[in-house]
Amino acid sequence: QVQLVESGGGLVQAGGSLRLSCAASGRTFSSYAMGWVRQAPGKEREFVAAISWSGGNTYYADSVKGRFTISRDNAKNTVYLQMNSLKPEDTAVYYCAASQHPISDSAAEYDYWGQGTQVTVSS
């Protein structure tokens, strides 16, 4: 069992940056691949980024590639999402999730979810 708590969301102007954090409970954090998924109002959940348990492999949605960076610190049981050059279309609730798969870009393959943190990008 893994419990996840996101933080770091907020309001930022277009072109700005935010860093999301996701703190996990449990001593097995390092055995899970981690991901970020977002959901904008009236839209379906959208995969954003994923990282393998070791941090050696990462995967990004085309819409954020080159702007967002996912990373993890297994010693701190924390995964991060550095978001640069933010756009209004990045506005959404961002969820952290844990998967028992090696790495996944499918929300259906994530087993544990945080409560989400709101990111709002103004134009």
Side-chain angles (χ1 to χ4, degrees):
Q1 189 92 12
V2 178
Q3 292 184 326
L4 305 170
V5 179
E6 302 95 336
S7 61
L11 173 64
V12 64
Q13 288 188 334
S17 299
L18 281 175
R19 188 194 196 200
L20 305 183
S21 299
C22 174
S25 65
R27 292 178 289 179
T28 59
F29 171 76
S30 61
S31 65
Y32 289 90
M34 299 297 296
W36 289 93
V37 176
R38 67 188 181 187
Q39 187 167 23
K43 295 187 177 181
E44 294 187 353
R45 284 191 174 184
E46 176 191 16
F47 166 80
V48 176
I51 189 167
S52 60
W53 67 270
S54 67
N57 292 304
T58 56
Y59 187 79
Y60 296 93
D62 288 341
S63 58
V64 306
K65 200 172 294 182
R67 300 189 296 122
F68 291 10
T69 302
I70 189 170
S71 61
R72 67 190 296 164
D73 185 337
N74 287 342
K76 295 182 178 179
N77 279 13
T78 302
V79 62
Y80 305 96
L81 185 68
Q82 178 66 44
M83 305 185 295
N84 299 328
S85 302
L86 282 161
K87 305 175 181 181
E89 51 264 43
D90 294 319
T91 295
V93 177
Y94 283 70
Y95 298 91
C96 169
S99 174
Q100 297 184 65
H101 293 268
I103 189 170
S104 176
D105 65 349
S106 171
E109 293 184 343
Y110 285 88
D111 305 291
Y112 303 102
W113 294 79
Q115 82 290 348
T117 186
Q118 176 71 47
V119 171
T120 303
V121 184
S122 62
S123 57

